Structure formats: structure tokens, C-alpha cells
Amino acid sequence: MLAEVPSQLQVRYADGYLEVESGVVTRHMSISAQAMINDLLACVDERSIDFISIAAGAYAIDRIYRRKASIRNEAGLRTIPVCFHVADFDYWSQPHVADQIAELLNFLSGDFWLVSFSAQKRSTPPGHQEVLDFGSDWRPSRVALYSGGLDSAAGLACAIQAGQRDIVLLTAGHQSAIRRRAKDQVKALQRALPNAGSISHASFVMRLEGSGRIRDQEATQRSRGFLFCVSGAVLAAVCGVDVVDVYENGHGAINLPLVGGGLSSGFSTRGAHPAFLSMMTRLASDVLERSIRFELPFAQMTKADMVARLAHPPGLVSWAQQSRSCIHTSWREPGISHCGYCAACIERHQALEGGGAVDITPYSRPLWEQSTALDDDYFRSYLWQAQRWMRGDLGIKERLDDHCALPHLTASSEDLILLHQHHAAEVLRVYARHADAPLPSNPTPDLLKAA
């Protein structure tokens, strides 16, 4: 049984504001294009505006309507009927388009999206989509999504060191602070790497008005990947390029859930999963009527492998550690940027130390330094999964096969198995003290089952 959203939701866009109406309450989200693409939303065509408003509307709904877990619906999966009001109704009303969007959102969030469209007339329709005029002979060669996290920072530095130039970075976030941090990171990289001078940075900022406290919103927000990729696709189209890079390591992109129950629900983040990026490639190319290809340039590497490539020149690893990984983004403590006990902090520390760096991140309470670290469900299952890979456990390989089969990928390849074993060795090397410790006396039943 799925949790029901109150009634069909109506999503409309006009003049930089998105409106989500449930019949009783109307919520608004502002959408602003920053930096060099300040006029982006005014220069693209109607269908591109529709595309952004559909993705932003899905993201707003995902935040507003919290999951309600129950005995019969452990993951709190939702049925979400939504009608998107669009200017190019003839295109969006095609059955195959609605089916693609519903399938894509279901894959990301695990929820059942009932997608429909209604015609909307806008007061000042944009003109035809044209390539952006950058005011000089400079032209970008590719677009890359840039979140400001460790993967995106290490990925950008690795790309520059590998000889890539003329990259337009896109940051899409729900807070202007995310944009400021990403912009500061890029400027610092340009000082550290002379070859980084050709980088340009753009951003979308989505602000949900009257959203209240973060703790009162849905925490998973799995639809963010759709919003990021749609924004990247539209920017790529107006820049005249056909490649959008996603700086995510291969192990993280697959993101095999730590427990079997996460395979078929919204527990597993899939925003960089190869199957999702394949779906986005098909959808974006169809919507924008040009080839748009999403690529994972570091699909064969772990996060620690990416960090290891930053050993030279000196100072590059320190620069990468300006990145922000913590799930608790609203953490408020002077001089503290990371909590030290969420999943992202645990994996960040493992990647930095596993990549040969000295982790200088100021953590509030680093879990791995605690003698009771194995009492934490996530940390314990994180180590158990690594141990299973190193033992050659057939059960963990079968779970990877199932994870690949769900989005209709082929069975996990030998390269993918080797990548997971490589990551497992890194985990056990960094957290060796805990990996050798005895199990807690009362481990969580479902994690025991998974192990």
C-alpha cells in the first residue's frame, strides 16, 4: 500500500516562480539563473522552460510531501498524481513522453507518479532557443554538474589535470550559500591550477518559500538528480555542446544499498546511476531535439582513487577538502562544517584517508574515533558489506546482480565486481581497527539478515 498525496497537484510556472497547488494550499518556489546565464530563462524556448518547471515541480513536491512509513509501507512510498501546466502541450501530451518522466521519477524516488499535462498560455513567450553569446571567441567544450562535494571537486581537478579545458560548471541548489561556496571553490582552484583559467561557472537556485524547518520536510528528496540533470541539459543545449559530465565515482554511482530491502525502494540514491543517466540521455535528447549525452568520466574509479590523483601539484588535496559532504547541511557550530557521523562523512573520511591524504576536515564528532562506533547501524553495515566482498560472498554478488537487473541493466560485469572489491579493501584498510572488533551483542535484525 502506498501513501496517498491529498489530491492531484497542479504545477505552473510564470515569471521565475513555480506554483504547486494541492486544491487547499498553494506553495511557491522561485527559480533564478545566476552568473553568466542570468538571462537563460528568458532566452530559451518554451519547451525548455517547461522542462525546467517539470523537474523543479517534481523536486518541490518531493520536499513538501513527507513519506509516512507504516507496517504495510515500511519505506513510506507515495502515490503522487500531478498535472504539469505546459506551454508546448502538443509535445508533452504524447504518451511516450509522460511515460518516460513517470518511469524516471519512479526509478529515482521509488514512488508511483501519475503524470499528466495541461495547456498553459504564458504572457511573454520566449523566442527560439539560440546558442548563448559569450561575448568573445571563447566557446565551451562541455558542461559539468558541480555540487561542491568531494566527488565534484576531485572530478573537476582530475579533468583539468587530464587536459580538459573550456568547461562550464553548473551548480543547482536550494540555497544561495551552495552557489557561493561552489563559486569560491572554483576561484580557489583557478589560483592553484593555472590550467583551470578557462572554467566558467553558472548556477540555478531554487528557493521554496514558506517551507519551514528542514526537519519538517521530506529528508530523502531523491528527485534532485532529475532537477540537476534537466538544468544541465538545458544549459548544454544553449551552450551548443552535447556532453554533460557527472563527477561521481563508479562505486558511488552504482550505490548498492547496504541492506537488501533498499533494492526496491527510495532508500538508495540513484541520481548518478548509469541507468538513470541513460534515461536522461534519451529524454533530454528528445525534449531538446539535439544530442545531449550524460557521461560518468570516473565510472571505473572509487572516490579514494580520485583523491589519489590530486597528490600533485602540492596543495590540491587541501583545496579539495574545502568541499562540503555532510548530509546535515544545516549544521551550525563555529568552525565545524561536518558532523562526522552521517553516511556522507563516514565515506568522505574513508575516501580521503584511502586516497593517501591526511583528512583535515573539522568534524564535530568523528564516529570512527569512538570505541562504540559499531553500535551505529550504518557504520556497522558499511563494514560488514566490505567484509562480504573481501570474503567473495556469493550473496553480496547476487544482490549486485539484482540491483543491476531492476533498471534493466545487464548482469553485473567482472569489472564492476572488481570495483566493489577494490572499494571494500579501501574501507577495511581505513577502518581496520573497527573491522577487527567483535560484533555488538544486539545488532539490528535486518542488518544481520543482510550480512
Side-chain angles (χ1 to χ4, degrees), residues 45-67:
D45 60 12
E46 292 280 25
R47 193 185 299 173
S48 297
I49 294 289
D50 288 340
F51 203 16
I52 292 172
S53 67
I54 289 167
Y59 167 67
I61 291 167
D62 198 10
R63 283 181 64 180
I64 294 168
Y65 293 98
R66 297 186 65 176
R67 300 180 185 276

Side-chain angles (χ1 to χ4, degrees), residues 371 373-374 379-380 383-384 387 431-440:
S371 61
L374 287 177
F379 188 68
R380 182 174 63 251
L383 293 186
W384 286 356
Q387 289 169 328
Y431 294 127
R433 176 167 76 100
H434 300 289
D436 294 336
L439 301 180

Side-chain angles (χ1 to χ4, degrees), residues 247-263:
Y247 294 147
E248 177 70 53
N249 71 88
H251 180 270
I254 293 295
N255 197 22
L256 179 66
L258 297 182
V259 296
L263 291 178

Side-chain angles (χ1 to χ4, degrees), residues 49-326:
I49 294 289
D50 288 340
F51 203 16
I52 292 172
S53 67
I54 289 167
Y59 167 67
I61 291 167
D62 198 10
R63 283 181 64 180
I64 294 168
Y65 293 98
R66 297 186 65 176
R67 300 180 185 276
K68 295 181 180 179
S70 67
I71 295 175
R72 297 169 64 185
N73 184 8
E74 184 180 353
L77 302 183
R78 302 162 294 187
T79 297
I80 303 176
V82 55
C83 178
F84 296 104
H85 294 245
V86 292
D88 192 353
F89 178 73
D90 289 343
Y91 172 79
W92 296 106
S93 60
Q94 298 175 92
H96 81 277
V97 176
D99 289 346
Q100 282 188 80
I101 293 172
E103 180 185 11
L104 188 149
L105 288 171
N106 171 259
F107 177 74
L108 281 181
S109 68
D111 301 307
F112 186 40
W113 294 73
L114 304 174
V115 175
S116 61
F117 298 96
S118 179
Q120 176 189 9
K121 248 187 182 177
R122 299 200 182 110
S123 54
T124 53
H128 294 290
Q129 184 169 293
E130 298 177 357
V131 175
L132 276 177
D133 181 7
F134 292 98
S136 69
D137 293 333
W138 182 83
R139 285 293 179 270
S141 62
R142 61 210 303 125
V143 168
L145 304 184
Y146 192 82
S147 67
L150 181 57
D151 274 281
S152 59
L156 174 60
C158 287
I160 295 297
Q161 289 184 302
Q164 289 187 14
R165 302 291 182 269
D166 305 322
I167 303 170
V168 179
L169 302 176
L170 176 66
T171 299
H174 63 280
Q175 297 175 347
S176 58
I178 295 174
R179 177 179 66 88
R180 289 195 301 271
R181 283 199 301 269
K183 190 175 180 181
D184 289 343
Q185 286 178 18
V186 172
K187 287 182 177 179
L189 180 63
Q190 290 172 329
R191 292 192 293 269
L193 281 179
N195 293 333
S198 62
I199 299 172
S200 291
H201 186 241
S203 60
F204 277 102
V205 176
M206 286 73 176
R207 187 168 65 88
L208 186 61
E209 298 182 352
S211 57
R213 299 174 301 178
I214 294 293
R215 70 182 64 178
D216 295 328
Q217 300 173 32
E218 171 52 38
T220 57
Q221 297 178 18
R222 301 304 190 202
S223 64
R224 284 179 297 182
F226 184 39
L227 175 59
F228 296 164
C229 287
V230 167
S231 303
V234 171
L235 177 59
V238 296
C239 286
V241 301
D242 59 3
V243 176
V244 180
D245 282 331
V246 180
Y247 294 147
E248 177 70 53
N249 71 88
H251 180 270
I254 293 295
N255 197 22
L256 179 66
L258 297 182
V259 296
L263 291 178
S264 58
S265 69
F267 289 146
S268 174
T269 301
R270 296 169 176 169
H273 195 287
F276 166 66
L277 296 182
S278 177
M279 293 179 194
M280 276 303 313
T281 291
R282 291 195 302 273
L283 179 62
S285 298
D286 191 56
V287 172
L288 301 172
E289 296 184 347
R290 59 171 297 141
S291 174
I292 300 290
R293 189 170 70 256
F294 289 87
E295 294 187 351
L296 280 167
F298 304 103
Q300 305 303 315
M301 299 170 64
T302 65
K303 199 190 303 267
D305 290 334
M306 295 169 69
V307 170
R309 288 195 173 186
L310 308 185
H312 302 289
L316 208 50
V317 170
S318 296
W319 168 79
Q321 295 198 55
Q322 297 176 24
S323 60
R324 187 71 65 89
S325 305
C326 188

